[in-house]
Amino acid sequence: MTTTDIGFDALGLSPALARATRDLGYKAPTPIQAASIPPALEGRDVLGTAATGSGKTAAFLLPILQRLGSGRRGTTRALILAPTRELAAQIEEAAQGLIRHTGLRVASVFGGVGMRPQERAFREGTDVIVATPGRLLDHLQHPYADLSKLEVLVLDEADRMLDMGFLPDIRRVLRQLPQDRQTLLFSATMPAPILELSRDLLRQPVRVGVERPSTPASGITQTVYPVAEDLKTPLLVHLLKQDSIGSVIVFTRTKHRANRLAEKLAKAGVSAERIHGNRSQSARTEALAGFKSGKYRVLVATDIAARGIDVEALGHVVNFDVPNVPEDYVHRVGRTARAGLTGEALTFFSPAEEGDLRAIERTVGRKIDRVTVPDFDYRAKPAEQFEVPLKDRIAEIRARKAEDRARAAAKAERRAQNA
Ligand code: AMP
């Protein structure tokens, strides 16, 4: 990770927070931290252009925690909105690391898990709440969820919230917050609707933007692999046999493709798990923990679920499919080479994906090196089609439902006969 040569001490942080940064091994602030922390500590609004991996989480958490360190406890005074459960959980984890010497408390509120502990967090007036917009709105219908004393609001990964259609939810949340507050908005890119939102929300914000949003961090080697659609799995398995590749996140375009790929990798003897929006929170957490601990060598993910995954020292990212949106490419590739390490991003592309690849090359501003794997059989016939055709999937669901209905009817009949 790129850091600055000024120390954390120079930023005016309280001893408790400065100590926590030392505990976490942070030696110096990253550029986004050096730029955002001083104005945020003064109470200014901040509009930050920062991608994951830049240290943006601590850039907004440290000034918030400092502000909350003084003043009353027992009321929720800071709210952080994030697009996905993973990102919310990760922000909470980062906050837990930073608050350890302060006596402050933090909780996260997101879907897929029980409402009760979250309700308790509101009732207890937990100092900092990290939430996804949908679940927060569910709580806000109840009187116990009281945000009337809120002092700071953070919108993290605002562009992703826009992509996921959360802007109306965010506006609904905003109606329930005090107008007089400090607001920090962070986004990897600044599309027009986000700039518009920032104009509504922020008061004379300080603009900080250290990384160019459309370029992956330096230190990442990017290559692309032309390959027929149906040979993508054999090519991946082939590459995984090489010792130079360790743990790897593999991105697919859809949930179905993520499921199929994980299945096929398992069949080929590669330990793999998957993480996507259709899986339960506990399954996603288990997959991520298993990947981090080394139980699974491969984590197959879709873009949305992958937001917020923070895996240190990940050497390789594979785009099994070319992302449709260049920003997703930059974001996925940013999963590797964090914390100043070097990483490799490999992108498979079939003839049908050439257009999307060109759009990415335009965004990153150069042609990405093509690689042909010398000992891979590009003329092999794949054993079976990668995707189960949609009509077969629908037929399967219909057959399953018909079977369920028949079973229910038989049961009802038995019950009627016994009555
Ligand atoms: P983020 O961009 O907030 O997702 O942070 C990416 C990673 O960088 C996280 O694992 C942080 O713990 C780590 N990090 C944040 N700030 C620093 C720092 N000043 N020095 C070293 N690592 C940091």
Side-chain angles (χ1 to χ4, degrees):
M1 163 165 303
T2 333
T3 50
T4 56
D5 50 14
I6 44 173
F8 270 104
D9 297 340
L11 297 180
L13 291 174
S14 67
L17 291 174
R19 194 168 143 210
T21 59
R22 281 195 298 278
D23 294 348
L24 291 170
Y26 299 178
K27 297 216 162 38
T30 66
I32 193 80
Q33 290 163 359
S36 336
I37 293 174
L41 281 177
E42 283 173 21
R44 301 277 311 265
D45 285 358
V46 172
L47 176 61
T49 310
T52 309
S54 60
K56 68 180 164 65
T57 316
F60 60 73
L61 283 175
L62 285 166
I64 294 182
L65 298 173
Q66 175 124 332
R67 176 179 185 144
L68 301 193
S70 55
R72 87 160 102 183
R73 301 284 164 96
T75 32
T76 301
R77 290 158 65 206
L79 171 69
I80 300 162
L81 287 178
T84 62
R85 311 166 197 179
E86 280 75 18
L87 185 62
Q90 199 179 298
I91 295 169
E92 187 202 329
E93 198 184 317
Q96 298 288 9
L98 292 169
I99 60 173
R100 60 176 79 160
H101 307 297
T102 64
L104 291 164
R105 286 176 316 153
V106 57
S108 48
V109 163
F110 47 73
V113 292
M115 298 273 282
R116 273 298 152 89
Q118 302 176 355
E119 178 184 333
R120 211 173 311 126
F122 280 107
R123 287 192 189 279
E124 288 171 357
T126 304
D127 306 280
V128 182
I129 289 193
V130 188
T132 52
R135 177 54 74 90
L136 178 64
L137 281 172
D138 292 344
H139 284 288
L140 285 176
Q141 290 175 359
H142 303 276
Y144 63 77
D146 177 15
L147 294 177
S148 63
K149 302 284 186 306
L150 198 82
E151 292 177 27
V152 196
L153 168 71
V154 179
L155 296 180
D156 192 20
E157 302 208 350
D159 53 351
R160 180 53 52 152
M161 294 206 264
L162 166 77
D163 291 348
M164 291 171 71
F166 283 149
L167 281 205
D169 281 355
I170 290 174
R171 293 206 181 264
R172 243 171 264 143
V173 171
L174 288 169
R175 278 186 227 125
Q176 305 209 32
L177 307 183
Q179 294 275 328
D180 186 21
R181 53 152 207 269
Q182 181 180 13
T183 308
L184 313 172
L185 188 153
F186 285 84
S187 197
T189 55
M190 285 292 165
I194 294 301
L195 280 174
E196 204 176 299
L197 180 73
S198 74
R199 273 193 287 273
D200 292 349
L201 286 190
L202 306 177
R203 283 176 300 192
Q204 297 169 341
V206 177
R207 286 195 72 143
V208 295
V210 199
E211 278 175 35
R212 277 217 308 140
S214 60
T215 336
S218 54
I220 300 175
T221 312
Q222 303 169 60
T223 43
V224 292
Y225 290 68
V227 59
E229 179 56 47
D230 285 336
L231 288 179
K232 284 180 172 180
T233 314
L235 180 62
L236 180 60
V237 171
H238 183 88
L239 292 174
L240 286 171
K241 285 195 183 127
Q242 297 170 3
D243 292 338
S244 56
I245 298 189
S247 303
V248 41
I249 293 190
V250 181
F251 289 100
T252 61
R253 197 170 43 237
T254 62
K255 296 172 219 166
H256 174 63
R257 291 176 67 80
N259 288 337
R260 288 287 284 171
L261 180 58
E263 246 170 56
K264 285 174 175 286
L265 287 175
K267 260 192 215 155
V270 179
S271 58
E273 245 303 355
R274 61 227 143 88
I275 178 165
H276 60 62
N278 277 5
R279 303 206 74 203
S280 71
Q281 184 58 32
S282 56
R284 287 157 70 159
T285 308
E286 196 279 327
L288 191 55
F291 179 64
K292 283 187 180 180
S293 72
K295 183 171 163 198
Y296 307 116
R297 183 172 170 208
V298 176
L299 184 67
V300 186
T302 56
D303 277 300
I304 287 184
R307 276 265 155 172
I309 294 179
D310 180 17
V311 184
E312 287 289 338
L314 187 69
H316 292 84
V317 165
V318 173
N319 289 313
F320 192 77
D321 300 313
V322 179
N324 304 120
V325 187
E327 282 72 25
D328 281 344
Y329 175 81
V330 175
H331 198 272
R332 289 183 189 183
V333 168
R335 301 282 123 195
T336 179
R338 303 179 114 196
L341 297 168
T342 52
E344 270 183 58
L346 292 70
T347 301
F348 292 0
F349 77 98
S350 67
E353 294 171 300
E354 285 209 55
D356 287 334
L357 179 64
R358 280 213 198 91
I360 288 167
E361 292 183 320
R362 273 196 299 278
T363 303
V364 299
R366 65 180 181 83
K367 195 167 153 71
I368 305 171
D369 291 340
R370 267 66 177 160
V371 176
T372 313
V373 181
D375 49 351
F376 178 72
D377 182 6
Y378 282 92
R379 277 171 311 190
K381 282 256 170 294
E384 55 178 344
Q385 243 178 324
F386 182 75
E387 290 196 41
V388 179
L390 191 59
K391 66 173 182 12
D392 295 350
R393 273 185 269 160
I394 294 172
E396 196 188 311
I397 294 167
R398 286 210 177 116
R400 212 171 38 231
K401 282 196 177 149
E403 212 173 278
D404 288 348
R405 271 197 303 274
R407 216 177 291 130
K411 205 167 154 193
E413 199 172 313
R414 267 199 310 277
R415 219 180 280 136
Q417 279 168 0
N418 291 341

